[in-house]
């Protein structure tokens, strides 16, 4: 191999070696600029929607609303774990698989709608190889030009008012003229 051909091949090999690193590209490419606010053109069940920059939204969307794209959601996740003080082996990236307008309240497990771009998404947390580690829910909101992620951990037990206890029976309820509720 001549010196001239070696100078042409070495940069190519160095570029190939950089591409084969174990760290996914999403981690190194955390966006620092503003995130665009995209709305899908149509929401059709079973059809994947694309943003104007050709990035994809979540697989399932409930209605036409402003949602983060997969890349914007990953950037929000990376900003969140970079700002976290505890580094308890976070997932390498996330994948959205369903979104709806509103935010999930972790205490009541109810979804509340807001005026601004606030969405609740079902999220897969992925390892370095892209395999799902766990599933969860996360609220995303667009403020200050960027999407921000807030993981939500709803209660896993039934709420107290969802039991089979009936109302007390009034023996004289059949008499006309009596108030229905006392």
């Amino acid at each position: 191999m001549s010196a001239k051909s070696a100078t042409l091949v070495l940069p190519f090999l160095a570029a190939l070696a950089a591409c084969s690193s174990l760290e996914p590209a999403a981690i190194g490419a955390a966006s620092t600029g503003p995130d665009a606010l995209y709305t899908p053109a149509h929401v059709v069940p079973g059809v994947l929607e694309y943003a104007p920059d050709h990035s994809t939204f979540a697989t399932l969307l409930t209605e036409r609303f402003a949602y983060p794209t997969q890349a914007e959601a990953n950037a929000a996740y990376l900003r969140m774990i970079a700002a976290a003080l505890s580094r308890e082996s976070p997932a390498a990236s996330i994948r959205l698989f369903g979104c709806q307008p509103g935010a999930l309240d972790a205490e009541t497990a109810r979804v509340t709608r807001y005026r601004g771009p606030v969405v609740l998404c079902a999220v897969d947390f992925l390892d370095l190889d892209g395999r799902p580690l766990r599933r969860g829910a996360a609220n995303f909101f667009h403020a200050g030009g960027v999407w921000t992620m807030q993981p939500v951990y709803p209660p896993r037990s039934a709420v107290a008012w969802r039991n089979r206890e009936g109302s007390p029976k009034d023996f004289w309820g059949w008499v006309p003229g009596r108030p229905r509720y006392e």
Side-chain angles (χ1 to χ4, degrees):
M1 180 185 277
S2 70
K4 185 176 185 181
S5 63
T7 58
L8 294 175
V9 173
L10 286 177
F12 176 71
L13 291 175
L16 271 177
C19 291
S20 68
S21 68
L22 292 177
E23 189 172 332
I27 289 179
S31 113
T32 56
D35 293 332
L37 190 60
Y38 294 129
T39 303
H42 307 286
V43 175
V44 179
V47 177
L48 187 61
E49 296 295 325
Y50 294 90
D53 67 350
H54 303 293
S55 58
T56 60
F57 290 104
T59 308
L60 302 171
L61 303 173
T62 59
E63 62 186 81
R64 193 167 182 269
F65 196 76
Y67 296 106
T69 62
Q70 296 284 359
E72 291 170 341
N74 263 312
Y77 173 70
L78 294 174
R79 282 190 294 268
M80 182 194 72
I81 63 172
L85 297 176
S86 65
R87 304 282 290 183
E88 47 202 42
S89 70
S93 62
I94 61 170
R95 178 178 55 220
L96 304 176
F97 65 89
C99 292
Q100 75 173 43
L104 180 67
D105 183 0
E107 188 173 337
T108 63
R110 293 184 181 194
V111 177
T112 306
R113 299 247 346 207
Y114 295 95
R115 288 182 189 217
V118 177
V119 294
L120 165 65
C121 292
V123 176
D124 276 333
F125 292 90
L126 308 174
D127 65 2
L128 288 172
D129 296 327
R131 291 185 303 251
L133 295 172
R134 66 184 184 280
R135 265 192 184 157
N139 293 328
F140 289 90
F141 56 94
H142 193 267
V146 294
W147 283 99
T148 304
M149 178 180 168
Q150 175 191 24
V152 183
Y153 305 102
R156 295 188 184 269
S157 61
V159 291
W161 58 87
R162 297 272 317 224
N163 55 13
R164 296 183 182 269
E165 180 180 334
S167 300
K169 301 294 181 205
D170 181 17
F171 179 74
W172 297 102
W174 59 272
V175 176
R178 288 180 46 94
R180 182 172 178 170
Y181 302 106
E182 293 181 357

